[in-house]
């Protein structure tokens, strides 16, 4: 699924991509692309109707919103102030995954963002 997010980031570059990762019992099970309504290399805004549809599908399948992902195409994959401001407590406590593709080798990192506080999380990748 990391490969799917990296592919999405590269396809959308130079603009940022975004999407949602569905989870079951803390394990990622599906990546859902969502259009970036901002169409910007500096920020993302999930297209509201697509975001609603994806979240509804995840809930109907009995899954959880495990992560929200987006890419950074020109900077390191760490949350910007804009990213911190977009973290919404209504989503629960998902991971925020940032896919860095400014270099040839992708750099994928995960974070928790709670009440404006950022902490890096461990992203376990299984084969």
């Amino acid at each position: 699924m990391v490969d799917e997010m990296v592919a999405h980031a590269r396809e959308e570059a130079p603009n940022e991509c975004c999407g949602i990762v569905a989870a079951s019992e803390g394990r990622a099970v599906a990546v859902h692309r969502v259009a970036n309504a901002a169409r910007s290399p500096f920020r993302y805004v999930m297209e509201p109707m697509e975001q609603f549809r994806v979240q509804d599908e995840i809930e109907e399948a009995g899954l959880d919103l495990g992560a929200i992902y987006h890419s950074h195409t020109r900077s390191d994959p760490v949350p910007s102030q804009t990213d911190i401001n977009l973290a919404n407590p209504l989503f629960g406590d998902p991971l925020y995954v940032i896919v860095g593709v400014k270099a040839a080798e992708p750099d994928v990192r995960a974070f928790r963002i709670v009440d404006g506080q950022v902490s890096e999380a461990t992203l376990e990748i299984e084969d």
Side-chain angles (χ1 to χ4, degrees):
M1 285 178 262
V2 168
D3 291 342
E4 289 179 54
M5 290 184 283
V6 169
H8 188 196
R10 287 186 169 146
E11 289 169 23
E12 294 296 323
N15 292 335
E16 291 189 1
C17 74
C18 55
I20 296 173
V21 178
S24 176
E25 298 180 13
R27 294 168 110 27
V29 296
V31 172
H32 299 271
R33 294 181 178 198
V34 178
N36 178 356
R39 294 178 186 84
S40 168
F42 307 109
R43 67 189 191 100
Y44 75 96
V45 175
M46 287 194 197
E47 198 290 321
M49 291 308 294
E50 281 187 49
Q51 180 181 357
F52 177 78
R53 178 189 52 76
V54 167
Q55 287 181 263
D56 195 45
E57 286 176 10
I58 289 169
E59 187 176 311
E60 285 182 10
L63 301 171
D64 301 311
L65 191 161
I68 294 172
Y69 76 91
H70 75 284
S71 62
H72 282 186
T73 60
R74 299 175 182 213
S75 62
D76 292 332
V78 295
S80 65
Q81 188 60 52
T82 301
D83 297 336
I84 294 166
N85 295 344
L86 284 173
N88 189 332
L90 295 177
F91 295 140
D93 187 25
L95 284 175
Y96 289 87
V97 175
I98 303 178
V99 181
V101 291
K102 75 175 186 175
E105 193 65 31
D107 187 5
V108 181
R109 298 185 193 170
F111 301 87
R112 294 263 181 225
I113 305 174
V114 179
D115 296 328
Q117 300 301 308
V118 177
S119 58
E120 191 156 5
T122 301
L123 188 62
E124 295 181 24
I125 301 172
E126 298 176 358
D127 290 331

